[in-house]
Coordinates of all heavy atoms in Angstrom, one line a residue:
Y188 N -9.2 17.8 -19.9 CA -10.3 18.9 -20.0 C -10.7 19.0 -21.4 O -9.9 19.6 -22.2 CB -9.7 20.2 -19.4 CG -9.0 20.1 -18.1 CD1 -7.7 19.8 -18.0 CD2 -9.7 20.4 -16.9 CE1 -7.0 19.7 -16.8 CE2 -9.1 20.3 -15.7 CZ -7.7 20.0 -15.6 OH -7.1 19.9 -14.4
D189 N -11.8 18.5 -21.8 CA -12.4 18.7 -23.1 C -13.3 20.0 -23.0 O -14.2 20.0 -22.3 CB -13.1 17.5 -23.5 CG -13.7 17.6 -24.9 OD1 -13.9 18.7 -25.5 OD2 -14.0 16.5 -25.5
F190 N -13.0 20.9 -23.8 CA -13.7 22.2 -23.7 C -15.2 22.1 -24.2 O -15.9 23.1 -24.0 CB -13.0 23.3 -24.4 CG -11.8 23.8 -23.5 CD1 -11.0 22.9 -22.9 CD2 -11.7 25.2 -23.2 CE1 -9.9 23.4 -22.1 CE2 -10.7 25.6 -22.4 CZ -9.8 24.7 -21.8
S191 N -15.6 21.0 -24.7 CA -17.0 20.8 -25.1 C -17.8 20.3 -23.9 O -19.0 20.3 -23.9 CB -17.2 20.0 -26.3 OG -16.7 18.7 -26.0
N192 N -17.1 19.7 -22.9 CA -17.7 19.2 -21.7 C -17.4 20.1 -20.5 O -16.4 20.8 -20.5 CB -17.2 17.8 -21.4 CG -17.5 16.8 -22.5 OD1 -18.5 16.9 -23.1 ND2 -16.5 15.9 -22.7
K193 N -18.3 20.0 -19.5 CA -18.1 20.9 -18.3 C -17.2 20.2 -17.2 O -16.6 20.9 -16.4 CB -19.4 21.3 -17.7 CG -20.2 22.2 -18.6 CD -21.4 22.7 -17.9 CE -22.2 23.6 -18.9 NZ -23.3 24.3 -18.3
K194 N -17.1 18.9 -17.2 CA -16.4 18.2 -16.2 C -15.1 17.6 -16.8 O -15.1 17.1 -18.0 CB -17.2 17.1 -15.6 CG -18.4 17.6 -14.8 CD -19.1 16.4 -14.2 CE -20.3 16.9 -13.4 NZ -21.0 15.8 -12.8
P195 N -14.1 17.5 -16.0 CA -12.8 16.8 -16.5 C -13.1 15.3 -16.6 O -13.9 14.8 -15.9 CB -11.8 17.2 -15.4 CG -12.6 17.5 -14.2 CD -13.9 18.1 -14.7
V196 N -12.3 14.7 -17.4 CA -12.4 13.2 -17.6 C -11.1 12.7 -16.9 O -10.0 13.1 -17.2 CB -12.4 12.8 -19.1 CG1 -12.3 11.3 -19.2 CG2 -13.7 13.4 -19.7
Y197 N -11.3 11.7 -16.0 CA -10.1 11.0 -15.4 C -9.9 9.7 -16.0 O -10.8 9.0 -16.4 CB -10.4 10.8 -13.9 CG -10.4 12.1 -13.1 CD1 -11.6 12.8 -12.9 CD2 -9.3 12.6 -12.5 CE1 -11.6 14.0 -12.2 CE2 -9.3 13.7 -11.7 CZ -10.5 14.4 -11.6 OH -10.5 15.6 -10.8
F198 N -8.6 9.3 -16.1 CA -8.2 8.1 -16.7 C -7.7 7.0 -15.7 O -7.3 6.0 -16.0 CB -7.1 8.3 -17.8 CG -7.6 9.1 -18.9 CD1 -7.4 10.5 -19.0 CD2 -8.3 8.5 -20.0 CE1 -7.8 11.2 -20.0 CE2 -8.8 9.3 -21.0 CZ -8.5 10.7 -21.1
D199 N -7.8 7.4 -14.4 CA -7.4 6.5 -13.3 C -8.4 6.6 -12.2 O -8.5 7.7 -11.6 CB -6.0 6.9 -12.9 CG -5.4 6.0 -11.8 OD1 -5.9 6.1 -10.7 OD2 -4.5 5.3 -12.1
E200 N -9.2 5.6 -12.0 CA -10.3 5.6 -11.0 C -9.8 5.9 -9.6 O -10.4 6.7 -8.9 CB -11.0 4.3 -11.1 CG -12.3 4.3 -10.2 CD -13.1 3.0 -10.4 OE1 -13.2 2.5 -11.5 OE2 -13.5 2.5 -9.4
E201 N -8.7 5.2 -9.2 CA -8.1 5.4 -7.8 C -7.7 6.8 -7.6 O -8.0 7.4 -6.6 CB -7.0 4.4 -7.6 CG -6.4 4.4 -6.2 CD -5.5 5.6 -5.9 OE1 -4.7 5.9 -6.8 OE2 -5.5 6.1 -4.8
L202 N -7.0 7.4 -8.6 CA -6.6 8.8 -8.5 C -7.7 9.8 -8.5 O -7.7 10.8 -7.9 CB -5.5 9.1 -9.5 CG -4.7 10.4 -9.3 CD1 -4.0 10.4 -7.9 CD2 -3.7 10.5 -10.4
E203 N -8.8 9.5 -9.3 CA -9.9 10.3 -9.4 C -10.6 10.5 -8.0 O -11.1 11.6 -7.6 CB -11.0 9.8 -10.4 CG -12.2 10.6 -10.5 CD -13.2 10.0 -11.5 OE1 -13.0 8.9 -12.0 OE2 -14.2 10.7 -11.7
K204 N -10.6 9.4 -7.2 CA -11.2 9.4 -5.9 C -10.6 10.4 -4.9 O -11.2 10.9 -4.0 CB -11.2 8.0 -5.2 CG -12.1 7.1 -5.9 CD -12.0 5.7 -5.3 CE -12.8 4.7 -6.1 NZ -12.6 3.3 -5.6
R205 N -9.3 10.7 -5.1 CA -8.6 11.6 -4.2 C -8.1 12.9 -5.0 O -7.2 13.5 -4.5 CB -7.5 10.9 -3.5 CG -6.5 10.2 -4.3 CD -5.5 9.4 -3.5 NE -4.5 8.8 -4.3 CZ -3.3 9.3 -4.5 NH1 -2.9 10.4 -3.9 NH2 -2.4 8.7 -5.3
S206 N -8.8 13.2 -6.1 CA -8.4 14.4 -6.8 C -9.5 15.4 -7.0 O -10.7 15.0 -6.9 CB -7.9 14.0 -8.2 OG -6.8 13.2 -8.2
Q207 N -9.2 16.6 -7.3 CA -10.1 17.6 -7.7 C -9.4 18.3 -8.9 O -8.2 18.4 -9.0 CB -10.3 18.7 -6.7 CG -10.9 18.1 -5.4 CD -10.8 19.2 -4.3 OE1 -9.8 19.7 -4.0 NE2 -12.0 19.5 -3.7
S208 N -10.3 18.6 -9.9 CA -9.7 19.2 -11.1 C -10.7 20.2 -11.7 O -11.9 19.9 -11.8 CB -9.4 18.1 -12.1 OG -8.7 18.5 -13.2
F209 N -10.2 21.3 -12.1 CA -11.1 22.3 -12.7 C -10.3 23.3 -13.5 O -9.1 23.4 -13.5 CB -11.9 23.0 -11.6 CG -11.0 23.7 -10.6 CD1 -10.7 25.0 -10.7 CD2 -10.6 23.0 -9.4 CE1 -9.9 25.6 -9.7 CE2 -9.9 23.6 -8.5 CZ -9.5 24.9 -8.6
I210 N -11.0 24.1 -14.3 CA -10.5 25.2 -15.1 C -10.8 26.5 -14.3 O -12.0 26.7 -14.0 CB -11.1 25.3 -16.5 CG1 -10.8 24.0 -17.3 CG2 -10.7 26.5 -17.2 CD1 -9.4 23.9 -17.8
D211 N -9.8 27.3 -14.0 CA -10.0 28.6 -13.4 C -10.1 29.6 -14.5 O -9.2 29.9 -15.2 CB -8.8 28.9 -12.5 CG -9.0 30.2 -11.7 OD1 -9.8 31.1 -12.2 OD2 -8.3 30.4 -10.7
R212 N -11.3 30.1 -14.7 CA -11.6 31.0 -15.8 C -11.0 32.3 -15.7 O -10.6 33.0 -16.6 CB -13.1 31.1 -16.0 CG -13.7 29.8 -16.4 CD -15.2 29.9 -16.4 NE -15.8 28.6 -16.5 CZ -16.9 28.3 -17.1 NH1 -17.6 29.2 -17.6 NH2 -17.4 27.1 -17.1
N213 N -10.8 32.8 -14.4 CA -10.2 34.1 -14.2 C -8.7 34.1 -14.5 O -8.2 35.1 -15.0 CB -10.5 34.5 -12.7 CG -11.9 34.7 -12.5 OD1 -12.7 35.2 -13.3 ND2 -12.4 34.3 -11.3
S214 N -8.0 33.1 -14.2 CA -6.6 33.1 -14.4 C -6.1 32.2 -15.5 O -5.0 32.0 -15.8 CB -5.8 32.7 -13.1 OG -6.1 31.3 -12.8
T215 N -7.1 31.6 -16.3 CA -6.9 30.7 -17.4 C -5.9 29.6 -17.0 O -4.8 29.5 -17.6 CB -6.4 31.4 -18.7 OG1 -5.2 32.1 -18.4 CG2 -7.4 32.4 -19.2
S216 N -6.2 28.9 -16.0 CA -5.4 27.8 -15.5 C -6.2 26.5 -15.4 O -7.4 26.5 -15.1 CB -4.9 28.1 -14.0 OG -4.1 29.2 -14.0
A217 N -5.5 25.4 -15.8 CA -6.0 24.0 -15.6 C -5.4 23.5 -14.3 O -4.2 23.3 -14.2 CB -5.7 23.2 -16.7
I218 N -6.2 23.3 -13.3 CA -5.7 23.0 -11.9 C -6.1 21.6 -11.6 O -7.2 21.2 -11.7 CB -6.2 24.0 -10.9 CG1 -5.8 25.4 -11.3 CG2 -5.8 23.6 -9.5 CD1 -6.4 26.5 -10.5
W219 N -5.1 20.8 -11.1 CA -5.3 19.5 -10.7 C -4.8 19.4 -9.2 O -3.6 19.6 -9.0 CB -4.6 18.5 -11.6 CG -4.8 17.0 -11.3 CD1 -5.8 16.5 -10.6 CD2 -3.9 16.0 -11.7 NE1 -5.6 15.1 -10.5 CE2 -4.5 14.8 -11.2 CE3 -2.8 15.9 -12.5 CZ2 -3.9 13.5 -11.5 CZ3 -2.2 14.7 -12.7 CH2 -2.7 13.5 -12.2
V220 N -5.6 19.1 -8.3 CA -5.3 18.9 -6.9 C -5.3 17.4 -6.5 O -6.3 16.8 -6.7 CB -6.2 19.7 -5.9 CG1 -5.8 19.5 -4.5 CG2 -6.3 21.2 -6.3
I221 N -4.2 16.9 -6.1 CA -4.1 15.5 -5.6 C -4.0 15.5 -4.1 O -3.1 16.1 -3.5 CB -2.9 14.8 -6.2 CG1 -2.9 14.9 -7.8 CG2 -2.8 13.4 -5.7 CD1 -1.6 14.4 -8.4
N222 N -5.1 15.0 -3.5 CA -5.2 14.9 -2.0 C -4.6 13.6 -1.5 O -4.4 12.7 -2.3 CB -6.6 15.1 -1.6 CG -7.2 16.4 -2.0 OD1 -6.7 17.4 -1.8 ND2 -8.3 16.4 -2.8
D223 N -4.4 13.5 -0.2 CA -3.9 12.3 0.4 C -2.7 11.8 -0.4 O -2.6 10.7 -0.8 CB -5.0 11.2 0.5 CG -4.6 10.0 1.2 OD1 -3.7 10.1 2.1 OD2 -5.1 8.9 0.9
V224 N -1.7 12.7 -0.5 CA -0.5 12.4 -1.3 C 0.2 11.1 -0.8 O 0.3 10.8 0.4 CB 0.5 13.6 -1.2 CG1 1.8 13.2 -1.9 CG2 -0.1 14.8 -1.9
R225 N 0.6 10.3 -1.8 CA 1.3 9.0 -1.5 C 2.6 9.0 -2.2 O 2.9 9.8 -3.1 CB 0.4 7.9 -2.0 CG -1.0 7.9 -1.4 CD -1.9 6.9 -2.0 NE -3.2 7.0 -1.3 CZ -4.2 6.4 -1.8 NH1 -4.2 5.6 -2.8 NH2 -5.4 6.6 -1.2
C226 N 3.4 8.0 -1.8 CA 4.8 7.9 -2.4 C 4.7 7.8 -4.0 O 5.5 8.3 -4.7 CB 5.5 6.7 -1.9 SG 6.0 6.9 -0.1
E227 N 3.7 7.1 -4.5 CA 3.6 6.9 -5.9 C 3.2 8.1 -6.7 O 3.3 8.1 -7.9 CB 2.6 5.7 -6.2 CG 1.2 6.0 -5.8 CD 0.8 5.3 -4.4 OE1 1.7 5.0 -3.6 OE2 -0.4 5.1 -4.2
D228 N 2.9 9.2 -6.0 CA 2.6 10.5 -6.6 C 3.9 11.2 -7.0 O 3.8 12.2 -7.8 CB 1.7 11.4 -5.8 CG 0.3 10.7 -5.5 OD1 -0.2 10.0 -6.4 OD2 -0.2 10.9 -4.4
D229 N 5.0 10.8 -6.5 CA 6.3 11.3 -6.8 C 6.5 11.1 -8.3 O 6.2 10.1 -8.8 CB 7.4 10.6 -6.0 CG 8.7 11.2 -6.1 OD1 9.0 12.2 -5.4 OD2 9.5 10.7 -7.0
G230 N 7.1 12.1 -9.0 CA 7.4 11.9 -10.4 C 7.3 13.1 -11.2 O 7.1 14.3 -10.8
N231 N 7.4 12.9 -12.5 CA 7.3 14.0 -13.5 C 5.9 14.1 -14.1 O 5.4 13.1 -14.6 CB 8.4 13.7 -14.6 CG 9.8 13.8 -14.1 OD1 10.1 14.7 -13.4 ND2 10.6 12.8 -14.5

């Protein structure tokens, strides 16, 4: 999330296709939602 841009930048095309990402201005949160969870999403 670069604060000079309005959209997040993704570094993984496959993950971008099943993700949503945004800044919640009311709660000052950077939220990343990964949909269609797969085994490879397990981790730190």
Side-chain angles (χ1 to χ4, degrees):
Y188 308 87
D189 181 339
F190 280 50
S191 62
N192 298 324
K193 293 186 178 185
K194 293 184 178 181
V196 175
Y197 290 89
F198 296 98
D199 183 289
E200 187 176 316
E201 186 278 323
L202 195 53
E203 179 180 6
K204 291 177 184 176
R205 56 188 183 94
S206 295
Q207 299 168 306
S208 190
F209 57 93
I210 299 287
D211 182 339
R212 296 172 192 210
N213 295 323
S214 66
T215 61
S216 295
I218 300 168
W219 183 22
V220 180
I221 302 171
N222 299 306
D223 186 25
V224 172
R225 301 174 184 169
C226 292
E227 62 263 23
D228 297 326
D229 187 85
N231 296 313

